[in-house]
């Protein structure tokens, strides 16, 4: 039976072309995507499309948008073999992270992709990104199961686990990086799937659930030499704030001075969940490695291991939406829920 794919267009550079008269960038009509990417016809797959209305620049993405996206996937889950989401690159890692936590028991591919140059431009990277994403979303193994039943990002010949990615380049075609987890597939002459790195469900017939209660009462605090207790207080006293992603130095280190640590402890004692991730682009938090990390641990800060800021934030959004008890949220934060952290 021929594979069927639903391509969901949300906005971003990928879906743009130049208006011939004004030369301004305008969104393409996604139902006519085969005009821009005629290669799609050669697949012989059934490729249906749907579009957000209006389409948005991904800087305007909100959690309501993630909920809508999850609902579209859930409503169409039985009808399609896989989903390709065309999305702006700026917040793609946030959306991929959020979807990974919101879609529970996912057993089909959800591949996000975008481009640095509009699909309607001559040198676009968008065409290849769309074509390979479709091929990956449709790929099955010998038993007929999807090759990559995960939320992923495909970009510039690499397939990443979505919640491990960060956008790190605003200029190059290779815009994303997954520093702490190897690529799920490499695309060259052949698509080489690294099957030992891909997560496969124990059972394929469990119905998809969506966790669509999101609580965004989270702040991010990046520490720097000279940070004052007042600056920390200003962020952590944000009305309604329930959790903080603390971007620390190196392997999870922070100043050992009494003023800093007692400020942290004060907020932990007030019930705030503080999760320690590193501001380095690769590597992990180990709060036992140095006295500077032990100080944070002693203050009640918990480890975010090797998670990205994007994934840690979105995991907190989902868990805070689901649980009112900070202790329960902390406990779940220490578990690897969707392959977002290692070594726990
Ligand atoms: N600003 C655009 C967006 O994220 C950039 C892009 O698509 O690459 O929607």
């Amino acid at each position: 039976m021929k594979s069927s794919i639903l391509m969901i267009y949300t906005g971003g550079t990928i879906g743009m072309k130049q208006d011939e008269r004004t030369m301004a960038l305008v969104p393409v009509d996604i139902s006519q995507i085969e005009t821009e990417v005629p290669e799609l016809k050669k697949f012989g797959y059934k490729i249906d499309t749907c579009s957000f209305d209006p389409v948005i620049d991904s800087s305007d993405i909100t959690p309501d948008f993630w909920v809508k996206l999850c609902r579209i996937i859930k409503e169409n889950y039985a009808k399609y073999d896989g989903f390709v989401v065309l999305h702006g690159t700026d917040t793609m890692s946030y959306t991929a992270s959020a979807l990974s936590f919101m879609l529970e028991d996912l057993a089909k591919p959800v591949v996000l992709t975008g481009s640095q140059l509009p699909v309607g431009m001559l040198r676009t990277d968008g065409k290849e990104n769309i074509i390979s994403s479709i091929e990956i979303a449709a790929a099955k193994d010998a038993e007929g199961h999807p090759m990559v039943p995960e939320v992923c990002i495909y970009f510039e010949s690499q397939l990443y686990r979505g919640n491990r990615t960060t956008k790190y380049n605003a200029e190059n075609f290779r815009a994303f990086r997954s520093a702490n987890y190897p690529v799920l597939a490499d695309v060259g002459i052949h698509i080489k799937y690294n099957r030992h790195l891909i997560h496969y469900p124990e059972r394929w017939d469990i119905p998809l659930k969506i966790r669509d209660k999101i609580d965004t009462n989270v702040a991010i605090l990046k520490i720097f030499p000279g940070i004052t207790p007042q600056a920390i207080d200003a962020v952590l006293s944000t009305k309604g704030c329930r959790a903080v992603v603390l971007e620390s130095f190196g392997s999870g280190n922070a100043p050992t001075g009494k003023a800093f640590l007692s400020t942290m402890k004060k907020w932990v004692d007030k019930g705030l969940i503080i999760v320690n991730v590193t501001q380095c682009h690769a590597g992990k938090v180990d709060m036992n490695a140095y006295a500077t990390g032990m100080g944070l641990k002693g203050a009640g800060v918990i480890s975010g291991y090797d998670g990205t800021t994007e994934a840690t934030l979105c995991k907190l959004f989902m868990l805070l939406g689901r649980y009112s008890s900070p202790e329960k949220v902390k406990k779940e934060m220490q578990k690897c829920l969707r392959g977002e952290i290692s070594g726990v």
Side-chain angles (χ1 to χ4, degrees):
M1 214 173 57
K2 68 177 181 183
S3 295
S4 57
I5 300 296
L6 180 63
M7 183 150 69
I8 307 166
Y9 175 38
T10 69
T13 301
I14 190 160
M16 303 295 235
K17 66 173 182 185
Q18 233 158 7
D19 183 276
E20 278 165 22
R21 206 171 42 83
T22 62
M23 300 312 272
L25 284 177
V26 290
V28 298
D29 173 358
I30 196 69
S31 64
Q32 305 299 315
I33 187 71
E34 286 178 356
T35 317
E36 299 302 328
V37 195
E39 294 86 348
L40 291 178
K41 285 190 212 127
K42 294 191 184 164
F43 273 133
Y45 301 150
K46 172 173 152 47
I47 303 173
D48 291 338
T49 55
C50 72
S51 179
F52 274 65
D53 185 17
V55 290
I56 53 171
D57 186 286
S58 79
S59 304
D60 283 325
I61 293 282
T62 59
D64 289 347
F65 164 95
W66 297 333
V67 172
K68 258 197 221 162
L69 201 46
C70 286
R71 290 193 180 145
I72 294 174
I73 293 170
K74 169 112 174 120
E75 277 157 26
N76 290 284
Y77 197 63
K79 274 199 272 168
Y80 294 95
D81 295 307
F83 300 86
V84 171
V85 180
L86 305 185
H87 193 290
T89 57
D90 290 347
T91 61
M92 195 186 292
S93 293
Y94 289 92
T95 296
S97 297
L99 293 188
S100 76
F101 297 114
M102 293 169 77
L103 298 170
E104 195 168 292
D105 292 321
L106 182 70
K108 292 190 177 181
V110 175
V111 184
L112 284 88
T113 196
S115 67
Q116 296 284 55
L117 279 178
V119 75
M121 283 176 86
L122 208 51
R123 263 187 341 99
T124 185
D125 51 330
K127 274 191 187 193
E128 195 281 321
N129 285 348
I130 293 181
I131 293 167
S132 295
S133 297
I134 298 264
E135 186 157 348
I136 290 165
K140 304 239 173 89
D141 65 14
E143 275 139 41
H145 294 310
M147 278 291 202
V148 195
E150 292 204 32
V151 178
C152 341
I153 288 184
Y154 177 77
F155 222 86
E156 182 68 4
S157 73
Q158 302 210 302
L159 183 74
Y160 309 99
R161 174 169 293 157
N163 60 28
R164 290 290 193 150
T165 62
T166 301
K167 180 174 178 184
Y168 83 103
N169 202 314
E171 167 74 25
N172 285 2
F173 283 161
R174 178 140 310 157
F176 290 89
R177 184 149 64 184
S178 167
N180 284 333
Y181 200 74
V183 294
L184 302 183
D186 264 305
V187 178
I189 293 179
H190 302 288
I191 301 184
K192 289 194 193 129
Y193 293 96
N194 296 318
R195 298 202 68 180
H196 61 291
L197 298 169
I198 299 171
H199 176 263
Y200 293 100
E202 270 162 35
R203 281 182 41 200
W204 292 92
D205 56 349
I206 302 180
L208 175 75
K209 285 183 269 316
I210 49 177
R211 298 282 171 207
D212 56 3
K213 260 189 90 195
I214 296 288
D215 184 345
T216 60
N217 281 303
V218 181
I220 297 178
L221 177 69
K222 180 170 184 161
I223 60 166
F224 52 89
I227 191 168
T228 61
Q230 295 87 303
I232 299 170
D233 282 341
V235 177
L236 274 52
S237 63
T238 307
K239 198 163 175 270
C241 185
R242 294 175 65 198
V244 178
V245 180
L246 178 77
E247 290 192 346
S248 61
F249 306 127
S251 53
N253 305 313
T256 48
K258 198 164 170 290
F260 177 83
L261 288 177
S262 57
T263 308
M264 285 294 153
K265 185 162 181 341
K266 174 181 81 186
W267 288 104
V268 171
D269 291 347
K270 283 189 186 188
L272 213 59
I273 301 160
I274 306 184
V275 189
N276 187 4
V277 298
T278 175
Q279 17 183 294
C280 294
H281 299 293
K284 67 173 198 302
V285 161
D286 175 0
M287 291 198 285
N288 296 317
Y290 294 93
T292 43
M294 281 179 206
L296 282 179
K297 195 175 171 188
V301 171
I302 61 170
S303 178
Y305 302 95
D306 61 349
T308 61
T309 295
E310 292 89 333
T312 308
L313 184 83
C314 293
K315 189 174 177 182
L316 281 167
F317 283 175
M318 187 274 283
L319 292 174
L320 292 170
R322 205 166 159 199
Y323 304 111
S324 53
S325 147
E327 288 316 311
K328 177 73 181 162
V329 173
K330 280 190 201 173
K331 206 164 153 218
E332 293 296 304
M333 283 304 291
Q334 302 297 282
K335 295 183 190 161
C336 173
L337 301 181
R338 306 282 193 273
E340 74 283 2
I341 48 177
S342 5
V344 290

